[in-house]
Every structure is written in structure tokens, then in C-alpha cells.
């Protein structure tokens, strides 16, 4: 049952997506009505947060059982005694799942209003408090300690510092203001720090601000699956080509027991800094992060210097993760997608450049995992079809664990090939809320099954490079 309106797109992007999800292969297999119903369901899911908060335990420093106990106690404290379970994932031994309670439809709205930017709003829907940089507007006389209702400016139309806003706004819940309006908008005022402490969010998820930061890492479920599928072994040399902010990088290092070498690259310096900070926080020493453009990471000739960073010689890595830059349409929640069609279609050629470099950098017998957090065919199944045709040395491999659905029809791949792919499609389940009563009546197996489906939109393909030249 939908609480928010479906995700909106620019007209040309909407037309493009409609063609993708009404392609001939899909219509032939499912029928027009079923294909259309799945597409509409997907659009509804994308504007709502996933049904579970996924936390990866840093098993390099702590046991899952111990973290589960500490997390349960922390949630009880945050939720004032409300008993929300912390579940262990049977196929992902380092993952804990927390069901999200909501949407809560009976919350009273207050006259004092705070408008936040869309990205801040999405973070609130996943358990965050409101920080000052995210606040765009507040009611005229708001004081510290006031009860306020928080809304998201999903279209980005509200002017900073406005005293009222009549545009499209989405209710996110209620909170207590930590600062007055004049403190928030004063020229010398605090630029960081908490602005609103959420006490009645529409979706109730725990806040992870300073909660066991060296031991727990917030990640989307499919993002954790990716590293398990690459399955790095201690002592190997691994490349994470587009690594920021370092969730998968640190996971790979943890799975290798911090033995071997994980090279992490990103072309934006601030993002590389974040990877290094995360590696330090999680106390992982085998990660080496470099600010470098992945499309230029292949070196033609051996260099004189013994520099360990990029560019690299061909066949330098045992396993490579290419979690490619993409159109990001699988991210949840997102109520108003802002990219133009030109921007959406610009990703396919970039991904192919990166993929080509990855194949050359991979040792024969090595494993390449390609992933995106988007829902298009052009960035997912079409890329697989292109890769198999362009690089005869690559073979698709089964994925373990395989907890998402199979690939989507429309790119000319065989049914056997589609079964080897993993597409996490939120429309695979009915959009349903979760209240404390339905949660207590649910079996753990059913909750795990729901968590596997009610996550972000995501795609994974696993290849092996044959030994023959």
C-alpha cells in the first residue's frame, strides 16, 4: 500500500523507461498486463524506503553474535523499550537485519514546520536525524526545543531561509528543534551539527550516529552480497575499480582476513579520503587507496619506478570488482529523479571503457564481478550481452549466494544466461507497511525472505576469464 506518490521522472526519461519495461521479449514472456503491473509496482517501491535496515558486522574486530546483542540493546534504548528484533541472515553470515516500522499514518502534524532538502529527507526516511546543512526553511518563530513537523522539498523548489513554503512537500515525521531559526540561518551560525532530533519519524529505523562505528557498517543488502560473490581469498591481489565510499572495499579486506592486497581507486580526491578514513576506522591494513581514473588504469609498458599504484600492467589482479558508476535509479527512497535522458544514457559507454580495462587487468583464471545500483537494461543485461560478444575469454558464472531474482529479458540473453545473473527487483514483493503487531506475528524465515526482496534495485554479473589466450 503506497504512502508516498510514485517516483517522478523528467518526461523523456519516463518515456525511455516505459519502453525498457515494455520491451518485446518481456511482453512475450509475461503478457502486457503483468509487465505493466510489475513496472508500476517498481515505481511505487522506489519512492519508499526498503523494508529493512542492513548492517554489516566488521568481523575483523567483532563476532556477529556479540554485535547482535549490543545492537538489540541499543535499539531498545532508542525505541524506548519497543521490541524490534535483530535478525541474522542465514546466507550472509556477517549481516544483521532490522525491520523498519512504518509508515505510521496516525502522526499528528504540528504548526511549526521545517523543510529539508530531498537528500536529507531520504536519509531521515532511513533513520537519520536532521543536520543543519540539510535544513532549507523553517517557520518564522521557531525556537530551540520546539516540536516541529519535518517535510521534504522533493522538487528542490524551496528557497533557503524561506519562512513558509507552499510547493510540493512530503511529510517525514515530527522532531524537536535543537536550534532556533536565527541560529540555523545566521551568517556565522553552525554549519554542521544536529538541527532536528527526530522523535516520531514516519518510518522508524534506528539512528547509527556514533553507534559502534568501528564494528558496524551500514550498507544496502545487495552491496554486501557483491563482495561475497567476488569471494576474495587471503593473500590475493584484488582491485576495486570505482571504490568510494569504501563499503565494498572494506568488506573485501575483511573477507580476506586483512591478508593480501586490496587496491581501491576513485577519481575524486575527497572520496578517496573517505575510503582511507573507513579503512582506518575499521582497522584494516591491506587496503591501498589511490585517486585515479579507472579508464586509464592500464599501463602499456613496465615502469622503471617500483610505484605500487596505478596504472597497472595487464593481468595484475586475481579478482576485480567493477561496481560501475551508473544512473542510480535503483536507490531508495527517491521521489523525484532529477537526471536528464542525456545523463542517463551517458553511463553505458563509460561502463564499457571501465569494463574493457578490467578484463585486461585480470589474470587468466581470475574473477570479474560487475554491478550497478540501477534498473535499466542498457547498464545491466545489455552490458553482459556486449561483454560476452566482445571478450570471448569471458564466461558467465553462477553466483553464490543467489538471493535476488534472475536477469530481466530484453537484451537477447538466453534463459540459462539470465539465471546466472542477479537482479534485485523491489517489485518482487507487494508494497506493505510493517507495524509492531504484524512484526511480532511474522516468522523469521518470512522476514528474511522479505528482506531479500524489499531492498534497493541492484544488478550483479560474475565472469571468469579463461586461461587460453
Amino acid at each position: 500500500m503506497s504512502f508516498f506518490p510514485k517516483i517522478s521522472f523528467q518526461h523523456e526519461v519516463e518515456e525511455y523507461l516505459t519502453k525498457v519495461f515494455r520491451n518485446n521479449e518481456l511482453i512475450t514472456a509475461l503478457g502486457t498486463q503483468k509487465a505493466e503491473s510489475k513496472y508500476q509496482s517498481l515505481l511505487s517501491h522506489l519512492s519508499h524506503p526498503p523494508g529493512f535496515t542492513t548492517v554489516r558486522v566488521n568481523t575483523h574486530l567483532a563476532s556477529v553474535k556479540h554485535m547482535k546483542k549490543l545492537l538489540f540493546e541499543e535499539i531498545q534504548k532508542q525505541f524506548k523499550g519497543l521490541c524490534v528484533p535483530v535478525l541474522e541472515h542465514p546466507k550472509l553470515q556477517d549481516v544483521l537485519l532490522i525491520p523498519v516500522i512504518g509508515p505510521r499514518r496516525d502522526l499528528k502534524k504540528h504548526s511549526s514546520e521545517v523543510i529539508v532538502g530531498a537528500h536529507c529527507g531520504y536519509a531521515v526516511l532511513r533513520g537519520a536525524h536532521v543536520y543543519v546543512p540539510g535544513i532549507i526553511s523553517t517557520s518564522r518563530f521557531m525556537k530551540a526545543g520546539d516540536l516541529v513537523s519535518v517535510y521534504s522539498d522533493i522538487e528542490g523548489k524551496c528557497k533557503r531561509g524561506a519562512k513558509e513554503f507552499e510547493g510540493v512537500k512530503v511529510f517525514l515525521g515530527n522532531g524537536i528543534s535543537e536550534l532556533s531559526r536565527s541560529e540555523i540561518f545566521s551568517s556565522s551560525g553552525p554549519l554542521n551539527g544536529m538541527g532536528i532530533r527526530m522523535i516520531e519519524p514516519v518510518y522508524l529505523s534506528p539512528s547509527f550516529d556514533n553507534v559502534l562505528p568501528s564494528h558496524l557498517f551500514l550498507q544496502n543488502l545487495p552491496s554486501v552480497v557483491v563482495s561475497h560473490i567476488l569471494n576474495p581469498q587471503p593473500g590475493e591481489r584484488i582491485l576495486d575499480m570505482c571504490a568510494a565510499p569504501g563499503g565494498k572495499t572494506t568488506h573485501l579486506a575483511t573477507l580476506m582476513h586483512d591478508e593480501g592486497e586490496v587496491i581501491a581507486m576513485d577519481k575524486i580526491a575527497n572520496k578517496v579520503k573517505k575510503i582511507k578514513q573507513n579503512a582506518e576506522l575499521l582497522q584494516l591494513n591491506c587496503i591501498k587507496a589511490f585517486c585515479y581514473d579507472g579508464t586509464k588504469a592500464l599501463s602499456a609498458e613496465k615502469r622503471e619506478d617500483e610505484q605500487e599504484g596505478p596504472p597497472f600492467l595487464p593481468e595484475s589482479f586475481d579478482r576485480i570488482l567493477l561496481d560501475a558508476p551508473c544512473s542510480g535509479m535503483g536507490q531508495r527512497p527517491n521521489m523525484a529523479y532529477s537526471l536528464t535522458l542525456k545523463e542517463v544514457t551517458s553511463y553505458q559507454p563509460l561502463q564499457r571503457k571501465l569494463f574493457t580495462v578490467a578484463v585486461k587487468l585480470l589474470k587468466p583464471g581470475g574473477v570479474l564481478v560487475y554491478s550497478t545500483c540501477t534498473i535499466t537494461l542498457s547498464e545491466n543485461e545489455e552490458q553482459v550481452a556486449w561483454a560476452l560478444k566482445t571478450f570471448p575469454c569471458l564466461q558467465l558464472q553462477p553466483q553464490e549466494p543467489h538471493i535476488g531474482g534472475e536477469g530481466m529479458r530484453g537484451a537477447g540473453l538466453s534463459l540459462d544466461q539470465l539465471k546466472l545473473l542477479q537482479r534485485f527487483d523491489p517489485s518482487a514483493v507487494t508494497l506493505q507497511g510493517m507495524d509492531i503487531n504484524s512484526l511480532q506475528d511474522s516468522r523469521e524465515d518470512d522476514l528474511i525472505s522479505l528482506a531479500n526482496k524489499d531492498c534497493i534495485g541492484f544488478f550483479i554479473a560474475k565472469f571468469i576469464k579463461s586461461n587460453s589466450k
Side-chain angles (χ1 to χ4, degrees), residues 366-411:
V367 172
L368 168 59
V369 169
Y370 172 83
S371 62
T372 75
C373 59
T374 198
I375 57 175
T376 64
L377 274 173
S378 66
E379 298 169 76
N380 295 328
E381 289 83 358
E382 278 182 24
Q383 297 293 51
V384 171
W386 164 82
L388 293 172
K389 192 173 151 192
T390 310
F391 305 103
C393 61
L394 292 183
Q395 291 170 300
L396 267 183
Q397 291 291 292
Q399 300 182 29
E400 184 53 44
H402 199 300
I403 58 179
E406 57 189 43
M408 187 166 100
R409 297 168 197 247

Side-chain angles (χ1 to χ4, degrees), residues 348-349 351-360 368 381-396 413 417 463-466 469:
Q348 191 193 61
Q351 290 158 354
R352 290 186 179 182
K353 278 184 189 171
L354 288 162
F355 196 99
T356 302
V357 171
V359 174
K360 290 174 180 171
L368 168 59
E381 289 83 358
E382 278 182 24
Q383 297 293 51
V384 171
W386 164 82
L388 293 172
K389 192 173 151 192
T390 310
F391 305 103
C393 61
L394 292 183
Q395 291 170 300
L396 267 183
L413 294 168
Q417 288 171 324
F463 302 88
I464 195 164
K465 183 176 178 178
S466 60
K469 292 286 181 192

Side-chain angles (χ1 to χ4, degrees), residues 195-345:
I196 313 293
R197 184 177 297 282
M198 297 301 295
I199 55 167
E200 291 180 325
V202 165
Y203 281 92
L204 186 60
S205 302
S207 162
F208 281 85
D209 293 340
N210 294 318
V211 175
L212 303 161
S214 294
H215 297 83
L216 299 176
F217 201 97
L218 269 177
Q219 256 180 303
N220 288 300
L221 185 76
S223 302
V224 181
V225 173
V226 165
S227 301
H228 282 286
I229 287 165
L230 190 67
N231 193 25
Q233 300 300 305
E236 288 185 332
R237 193 174 193 222
I238 310 295
L239 176 62
D240 187 352
M241 276 186 90
C242 306
K248 297 178 188 73
T249 310
T250 53
H251 192 194
L252 294 170
T254 306
L255 291 174
M256 294 162 71
H257 308 298
D258 203 23
E259 293 168 22
E261 190 176 39
V262 179
I263 301 284
M265 289 193 304
D266 203 278
K267 66 177 187 179
I268 298 166
N270 278 351
K271 291 186 173 184
V272 175
K273 195 173 164 191
K274 186 73 182 159
I275 298 168
K276 289 177 177 174
Q277 285 169 348
N278 278 325
E280 202 173 315
L281 183 66
L282 302 177
Q283 296 176 36
L284 295 160
N285 301 311
C286 75
I287 294 167
K288 296 188 176 100
F290 298 97
C291 184
Y292 207 80
D293 179 349
T295 62
K296 298 173 179 156
L298 183 69
S299 172
E301 67 280 327
K302 197 165 173 58
R303 293 172 310 175
E304 292 307 308
D305 60 355
E306 287 300 306
Q307 188 190 329
E308 57 190 357
F312 303 104
L313 287 169
E315 301 182 358
S316 290
F317 293 93
D318 298 293
R319 296 172 201 257
I320 296 177
L321 172 60
L322 174 52
D323 183 46
C326 70
S327 58
M329 287 187 194
Q331 292 292 359
R332 297 174 60 193
N334 188 352
M335 295 173 205
Y337 184 81
S338 59
L339 266 59
T340 62
L341 183 59
K342 188 178 178 185
E343 288 169 319
V344 169
T345 54

